Amino acid sequence: MNKHSKRAIRDLLLEKRVISSQQLDQVNLEEKNTGETMIKVLSRLGFMTQMQVVNFIAEHTDIQQVELGNMIIDPKIINLVPENLARKYFAIPVLKIGNTLSCAMVDVFDIYAIDELALKTGMTIDPLIATQDEIEKALDEFYMVQGDIQGVIKTLDDVDLGDENGENIDVVRLKGMGQEHPVVQFVNLMISKAVAEGASDIHLEPEEHSLSIRFRIDGILHQQAKPPKKFQPAISSRIKIMANLDIAETRKPQDGRVQTQIQNRRVDIRVSFLPTVYGENIVLRLLDTSNILLGLEQIGFQNDNLMKFRDLLQKPNGIILVTGPTGSGKTTTLYSSLSTINSPEKSIVTVEDPVEYRLPGIRQTQVDPKVDLTFSSGLRAILRQDPDVIMIGEIRDVDTARIAIQAALTGHLVLATLHTNNAAGAISRLIDIGVEPFLLASSIIAVVAQRLVRLLCKDCGGKGCKLCSMSGYKGRTSIYELMVFDEQIRSLVLRKSSAEEIHQAAVAAGMQSLRDSGTAKVAEGLTSTEEVYRVTQ
């Protein structure tokens, strides 16, 4: 059977007894008389729902099904197909990779539509199947308004909220507001713009008379265009719909997740709602999965530190701690490390809170206190799974620390994070929470401390330009200090020496401090002295 044949699908519908021959004849006649698609006719006549038809085609062909309601499509990709052509064939472009343009279509077997789309775009068309209702809605959303966020904000004034103050709105109305086309367009463009500018987080912050929007780019928050305050409930509802959250709940914190494709990249979005006196504060954390496959040298490791760290990752057992404050890149370092050593010969298991990125070939466990799945209980279970390498999202208590040490002493390589300011401070921190010094001295093989520094913009050399939002910086890299445990360090740990004593001994043995690591990158022209001092003071 030709998998991309409409006739073959009709025959299969009969063969599987989904519809009768009389019903198929009726469908054929309706298609001919009305010009409607097979999906539309089957659903209108009540023989199958649109989703049932889409599921059937996806199941019995190699054509991929796509859910447009959860996708954020780059306006640049939308612009590749003229609106009149998109509406003519119920086709909407969703993804471009190289010279291939993936288009969600109703009739994926229409070779004339595919040929015309290919001719108009100059690209190979990869048809994806979606329901007609989804595509019609997407056509209205993405083609109705084009332009930047400022332009979309102007169109918001055309939306009738019913309640001018955006208050006292029932659940049905909230849901409707969250699906208004300009509101959907605004949220989509906001997220697309944030991704394009390399933002790690989007902050939507309610104030008394306005809704502030800021992007965190390279660690610094930047103000964006503000939508009118009255659209706060509508924008909030749209984000809750995307994240599968309760749109009626505004008094309790809520957390959710959105997975989407933006600018040829898969982006996971962690959504957090927090009630405040002026409404819900919303933070969207943008997790770009392309970053997790970066090599160690690409995230900042250089020269001796790079060689030493790679050697440490090949050790059969022991603990490697990665330390630093929140937002210093610890998770990226851990994931890059796991990607470096991941192979079919090794069993790697993680316990995280939350699982920020999905890593192929690695078993990842999400902490869930509701079912008593904590770091410590998760670790105990992992040790019964015959792992070679264990990654712990964070050591927070003495119980977790002791189980990690037990794992290291029984032949496992353990990677974990800890919140301390420098490498030597990790020892004091673990002793403070109740871990015995002799256990630390016998299990830890290295501690890495790190910070993220902004890179000088390559386009303007740090002077400031449009591409770097006049900041003079674009992108970030890590600076590191790598403290490898030797006999002297172990002796100092056993004597409960101060963090300063341990630090000085490590430097004397050749460890490059965080500030020295940053200074080396200043000498290479990668960053500035001011930036290094900003993150290491």
Side-chain angles (χ1 to χ4, degrees):
M1 183 184 79
N2 178 359
K3 288 186 175 182
H4 286 194
S5 162
K6 188 184 293 186
R7 177 174 293 177
I9 289 297
R10 295 173 195 268
D11 291 344
L12 199 57
L13 286 169
L14 286 177
E15 180 186 323
K16 298 292 184 181
R17 297 184 179 179
V18 178
I19 60 174
S20 66
S21 57
Q22 291 84 1
Q23 289 174 325
L24 181 58
D25 289 341
Q26 191 176 350
V27 169
N28 293 336
L29 182 62
E30 283 292 309
E31 274 190 272
K32 183 178 180 181
N33 291 338
T34 65
E36 292 179 336
T37 63
M38 179 176 68
I39 286 181
K40 193 73 170 178
V41 172
L42 280 167
S43 65
R44 180 167 57 79
L45 295 178
F47 300 154
M48 298 175 73
T49 66
Q50 290 190 27
M51 187 55 72
Q52 285 174 333
V53 181
V54 166
N55 289 339
F56 185 87
I57 292 173
E59 181 181 351
H60 293 93
T61 72
D62 57 3
I63 296 171
Q64 184 180 345
Q65 179 183 351
V66 62
E67 294 184 12
L68 292 174
N70 293 328
M71 293 196 73
I72 298 170
I73 307 173
D74 186 349
K76 293 177 183 176
I77 292 177
I78 292 292
N79 289 334
L80 293 173
V81 176
E83 182 176 0
N84 63 333
L85 198 61
R87 292 190 182 277
K88 176 181 178 182
Y89 291 120
F90 295 108
I92 186 163
V94 297
L95 181 64
K96 178 181 176 292
I97 300 178
N99 198 47
T100 299
L101 184 65
S102 297
C103 293
M105 303 178 66
V106 175
D107 192 347
V108 290
F109 308 112
D110 189 339
I111 58 173
Y112 298 105
I114 293 171
D115 285 347
E116 190 170 350
L117 287 167
L119 183 66
K120 187 67 179 179
T121 62
M123 287 181 276
T124 301
I125 302 301
D126 175 32
L128 311 173
I129 192 162
T131 67
Q132 185 162 333
D133 286 349
E134 280 185 298
I135 290 180
E136 286 177 344
K137 184 178 179 181
L139 288 170
D140 288 341
E141 288 175 3
F142 290 105
Y143 282 103
M144 189 179 75
V145 180
Q146 292 294 328
D148 59 15
I149 284 185
Q150 287 280 16
V152 179
I153 287 175
K154 292 179 182 177
T155 68
L156 287 173
D157 287 328
D158 295 329
V159 180
D160 179 18
L161 293 181
D163 184 333
E164 185 68 19
N165 296 319
E167 299 173 351
N168 304 318
I169 304 172
D170 62 28
V171 175
V172 174
R173 184 61 185 138
L174 273 173
K175 187 174 182 180
M177 288 163 53
Q179 294 173 333
E180 291 279 5
H181 296 155
V183 174
V184 171
Q185 185 76 0
F186 172 80
V187 172
N188 288 351
L189 276 178
M190 176 185 70
I191 295 173
S192 293
K193 183 174 186 286
V195 171
E197 294 184 6
S200 60
D201 303 86
I202 301 172
H203 290 243
L204 293 96
E205 301 161 326
E207 299 168 0
E208 186 174 5
H209 301 297
S210 65
L211 177 62
S212 174
I213 296 180
R214 297 192 290 172
F215 294 171
R216 187 178 295 281
I217 301 172
D218 297 332
I220 307 295
L221 286 168
H222 297 266
Q223 188 69 54
Q224 305 297 312
K226 295 182 179 182
K229 171 72 173 179
K230 66 178 182 178
F231 292 99
Q232 183 178 319
I235 293 168
S236 173
S237 295
R238 175 57 191 167
I239 296 171
K240 286 179 180 177
I241 289 170
M242 293 170 65
N244 246 355
L245 299 176
D246 184 354
I247 61 174
E249 182 57 74
T250 60
R251 296 171 299 174
K252 296 179 181 178
Q254 292 194 73
D255 296 296
R257 193 180 195 122
V258 178
Q259 293 184 333
T260 189
Q261 200 89 18
I262 304 173
Q263 300 172 2
N264 304 343
R265 294 177 292 182
R266 190 186 121 187
V267 178
D268 287 353
I269 305 173
R270 272 173 37 203
V271 181
S272 173
F273 281 78
L274 178 70
T276 73
V277 292
Y278 295 127
E280 291 176 293
N281 195 80
I282 309 170
V283 176
L284 310 181
R285 170 148 289 187
L286 309 177
L287 305 171
D288 186 349
T289 57
S290 63
N291 287 336
I292 64 171
L293 300 179
L294 294 175
L296 294 171
E297 63 277 6
Q298 292 170 289
I299 62 173
F301 272 105
Q302 291 179 310
N303 308 324
D304 289 347
N305 276 349
L306 177 60
M307 290 186 291
K308 287 178 184 177
F309 194 66
R310 279 183 170 157
D311 288 342
L312 288 165
L313 291 174
Q314 298 305 320
K315 298 285 186 183
N317 60 281
I319 297 176
I320 300 174
L321 294 173
V322 180
T323 74
T326 301
S328 59
K330 299 187 298 295
T331 300
T332 299
T333 296
L334 284 180
Y335 282 171
S336 295
S337 300
L338 293 182
S339 297
T340 298
I341 60 177
N342 190 17
S343 72
E345 292 78 31
K346 289 183 178 178
S347 171
I348 302 177
V349 188
T350 77
V351 55
E352 307 170 58
D353 182 23
V355 173
E356 293 193 355
Y357 300 102
R358 310 297 166 90
L359 300 172
I362 294 175
R363 264 56 61 194
Q364 295 174 267
T365 303
Q366 168 79 49
V367 166
D368 187 357
K370 295 177 183 176
V371 294
D372 197 30
L373 178 53
T374 61
F375 278 114
S376 56
S377 64
L379 265 176
R380 288 191 184 94
I382 286 172
L383 287 173
R384 296 190 289 269
Q385 293 279 306
D386 186 32
D388 296 299
V389 181
I390 301 169
M391 191 269 269
I392 306 169
E394 184 184 347
I395 294 179
R396 297 176 180 172
D397 53 58
V398 66
D399 196 21
T400 303
R402 283 177 176 158
I403 300 169
I405 290 168
Q406 176 192 343
L409 295 177
T410 53
H412 304 85
L413 181 65
V414 179
L415 282 70
T417 73
L418 197 65
H419 284 272
T420 62
N421 289 327
N422 58 21
I427 308 304
S428 302
R429 168 69 178 146
L430 290 169
I431 291 175
D432 287 345
I433 66 174
V435 182
E436 294 82 354
F438 77 91
L439 290 176
L440 299 177
S442 58
S443 61
I444 297 176
I445 58 176
V447 182
V448 178
Q450 69 178 86
R451 298 289 189 279
L452 290 174
V453 295
R454 292 180 294 171
L455 293 167
L456 293 173
C457 176
K458 293 179 180 178
D459 291 279
C460 65
K463 297 176 182 176
C465 64
K466 288 184 178 179
L467 292 175
C468 64
S469 303
M470 304 307 295
S471 69
Y473 299 94
K474 190 167 181 63
R476 288 191 291 179
T477 190
S478 297
I479 57 175
Y480 294 96
E481 61 181 28
L482 174 58
M483 185 174 75
V484 180
F485 271 42
D486 57 18
E487 288 307 313
Q488 185 181 9
I489 297 294
R490 295 184 197 283
S491 175
L492 290 171
V493 171
L494 286 170
R495 297 204 306 263
K496 293 187 179 181
S497 299
S498 69
E500 182 59 29
E501 286 181 89
I502 295 173
H503 177 80
Q504 292 300 331
V507 170
M511 182 185 79
Q512 186 182 45
S513 69
L514 280 169
R515 184 160 289 183
D516 287 343
S517 174
T519 301
K521 293 194 173 181
V522 172
E524 294 179 46
L526 297 175
T527 189
S528 68
T529 301
E530 294 77 14
E531 179 65 6
V532 171
Y533 273 79
R534 182 182 71 85
V535 301
T536 59
Q537 62 183 358

